[in-house]
Amino acid sequence: QVQLVESGGGLVQAGGSLTLSCVASGYTFSNNAMGWFRQAPGKEREFVATFRWSGGSTDYADSVKGRFTVSRDNAKNTVYLQMNSLKPEDTAVYYCAARRWRLTMTQDWGLYDYWGQGTQVTVSS
């Protein structure tokens, strides 16, 4: 059974930083496309970043480019989302996602097969 488990969310003041973690289990990810998404109350799920489990380039949403960074520790089956210079508009539930058979990175959340339960990030002004 494939599981993605996010952690690291919390309450932070504007300008602060948080690092989210996503631990994968139940499947051997290799070059699979992965993604970080977020959803604020009353809004649609929003693309944050897409990358491959094995490494390489990362595509970021314009709204987070230069502030958020994806990294990975394959030995720990974990990917991270380092979030700096946080803004109140970054407040959302953040989700980690994975594509089971596909290598193609995509911003379309509907094309991901596996999702974590999400972790809440709240940025106060």
Side-chain angles (χ1 to χ4, degrees):
Q1 181 182 358
V2 179
Q3 276 195 318
L4 300 174
V5 180
E6 303 97 334
S7 62
L11 173 63
V12 63
Q13 288 189 334
S17 299
L18 281 174
T19 299
L20 306 183
S21 300
C22 172
V23 180
S25 62
Y27 187 80
T28 302
F29 292 104
S30 56
N31 209 25
N32 303 71
M34 308 285 295
W36 283 100
F37 294 82
R38 65 187 182 186
Q39 189 165 17
K43 294 188 176 181
E44 291 190 353
R45 193 161 296 190
E46 179 187 21
F47 164 74
V48 175
T50 182
F51 53 98
R52 290 192 185 89
W53 179 265
S54 57
S57 64
T58 301
D59 292 339
Y60 296 94
D62 288 342
S63 59
V64 307
K65 202 171 294 184
R67 300 188 297 122
F68 290 12
T69 304
V70 169
S71 62
R72 54 189 63 74
D73 185 337
N74 296 110
K76 295 183 178 180
N77 283 344
T78 303
V79 296
Y80 303 95
L81 183 66
Q82 172 70 42
M83 305 185 296
N84 298 326
S85 302
L86 283 162
K87 305 174 181 179
E89 51 264 44
D90 294 319
T91 295
V93 177
Y94 282 72
Y95 298 91
C96 174
R99 304 189 77 186
R100 180 164 184 145
W101 301 114
R102 302 297 183 181
L103 313 181
T104 305
M105 303 189 300
T106 176
Q107 301 181 10
D108 185 345
W109 65 265
L111 297 180
Y112 287 80
D113 302 294
Y114 301 112
W115 291 84
Q117 83 289 351
T119 185
Q120 176 71 48
V121 172
T122 303
V123 184
S124 62
S125 56

